[in-house]
Structure formats: C-alpha cells, structure tokens
Amino acid sequence: MADDDDRLDRLDYYTLIGTKRDASADDIRNAFRVFARRYHPDRFAGGPEDKVERATRIYRRGSDAFQTLSDPDARQAY
C-alpha cells in the first residue's frame, strides 16, 4: 500500500487528472469530471474496504489537483 501512495504522490497534477500542461480552464474542468466519475469513492460504496480507501486517496489528490489547476495564481505557482 505504501508503494501505491508513493506512486500517487509522484504523479504531477496534469497527469493525475489526465490533461495537458497547456490545457484551458474548460479542459481542466472536463478532465476532472472524467477523473471524478472514475475515482469518486461513492462509486465503490459497498465494495471491499481497501478499494474504497484507495479510491478516496486518489480522489482527494485529484481534488487537490483540480483546486490548484483551476486557480490561475495557484496554477502559475505550481
């Protein structure tokens, strides 16, 4: 599990949500929507606890990515 955490932490935000570095705000929003449909923890409700926990970790990191990339100042600093 720690190995998965390390790999997740090494992914840059663009790669994580599946968009390019020169993506527009709309592209980032659309990429995050696709990402969210795939990894939202509710999608795994009732499933094995380890899958729910993993999806939650991935989704939280993706949410951080979206927040950073959708704010022009934060994106520039990133």
Side-chain angles (χ1 to χ4, degrees), residues 3-76:
D3 202 26
D4 286 341
D5 291 342
D6 290 344
R7 283 188 294 187
L8 181 61
D9 291 339
R10 285 189 302 239
L11 286 176
D12 69 79
Y13 285 166
Y14 298 97
T15 302
L16 181 63
I17 64 169
T19 195
K20 297 179 181 178
R21 290 188 174 276
D22 61 351
S24 68
D26 286 338
D27 293 337
I28 290 169
R29 189 173 21 262
N30 290 335
F32 181 72
R33 286 183 182 148
V34 170
F35 170 88
R37 280 192 298 270
R38 182 171 183 188
Y39 292 108
H40 196 282
D42 288 350
R43 183 170 177 255
F44 299 91
E49 190 172 326
D50 61 326
K51 285 193 181 243
V52 174
E53 289 175 12
R54 186 171 191 284
T56 300
R57 280 195 312 276
I58 293 169
Y59 186 78
R60 282 186 186 149
R61 178 120 164 101
S63 292
D64 290 343
F66 177 67
Q67 291 298 318
T68 299
L69 298 179
S70 60
D71 177 334
D73 294 330
R75 183 176 179 182
Q76 183 67 31

